[in-house]
Amino acid sequence: MKTNKPIFTLLLLGCFSMLFSCDKDYEYSTEIRIENASQHDIEIIMPELWFDGSFFPEKIMLPRGQDFSHIIIGEGGFFGVPYFPSMQIRFDNDVSIMHVQSDGNTYHNFCNKQAYARSQPKKQFEVFTFVFTDEDYEYAKAHADKTK
């Protein structure tokens, strides 16, 4: 029996391509960076009623001039800014204000995705940065949560 060389070659190439090709799931990293550019120590507190600890810590202590960074790794795409319905922001363990997602951008709102600057330093790595300033402290002082 005579073998048909082109058919044999195609079958061989097909077997090799199935054997050596693989579907690679790429890992994507999203960094949430919080910078404290204010002259005040900041405490960010996630309300317990929706805290599960899987993506974000329950409480973040951010001394003046310091940064906080949290990286979330996922497969198949970027994670983006986590959904924060509300967060309590406390300055100098004294002035406290609730940032609420539904308030939108009526102030420099920690819970509003548009308040984060996005950069993509690498193909599969993105960074969302929120910067607290002295203006945030002044706003919190003027609209302080009296219920602390």
Side-chain angles (χ1 to χ4, degrees):
M1 181 171 182
K2 188 175 180 186
T3 23
N4 194 342
K5 207 172 195 176
I7 292 177
F8 179 73
T9 304
L10 285 174
L11 286 173
L12 191 60
L13 284 173
C15 288
F16 276 120
S17 68
M18 287 181 3
L19 184 64
F20 292 109
S21 71
C22 60
D23 290 336
K24 183 174 181 183
D25 285 336
Y26 289 99
E27 283 190 346
Y28 290 82
S29 299
T30 300
E31 178 182 0
I32 306 300
R33 185 178 299 159
I34 306 165
E35 299 176 3
N36 185 356
S38 78
Q39 299 300 312
H40 306 275
D41 295 335
I42 298 173
E43 183 178 14
I44 303 168
I45 304 159
M46 183 181 297
E48 284 186 35
L49 72 127
W50 60 272
F51 173 69
D52 69 0
S54 60
F55 289 118
F56 225 71
E58 179 180 5
K59 192 181 284 190
I60 300 168
M61 303 298 289
L62 201 56
R64 65 192 81 177
Q66 298 294 310
D67 298 341
F68 170 84
S69 177
H70 187 76
I71 296 177
I72 303 164
I73 298 172
E75 292 183 5
F78 290 120
F79 186 83
V81 178
Y83 172 70
F84 300 127
S86 63
M87 285 281 192
Q88 182 181 9
I89 312 296
R90 186 178 298 146
F91 293 87
D92 295 327
N93 207 22
D94 179 40
V95 176
S96 182
I97 188 168
M98 285 299 288
H99 282 209
V100 181
Q101 194 273 335
S102 61
D103 288 347
N105 62 359
T106 56
Y107 52 91
H108 190 221
N109 186 351
F110 183 78
C111 299
N112 181 3
K113 293 180 182 193
Q114 282 74 38
Y116 291 78
R118 182 187 181 274
S119 63
Q120 190 173 353
K122 296 179 185 172
K123 184 177 180 181
Q124 291 168 256
F125 184 69
E126 67 179 352
V127 179
F128 289 95
T129 305
F130 186 93
V131 181
F132 283 101
T133 65
D134 286 325
E135 290 176 16
D136 296 312
Y137 170 77
E138 294 300 328
Y139 182 87
K141 196 165 77 172
H143 300 86
D145 181 3
K146 308 298 184 209
T147 60
K148 281 199 241 187

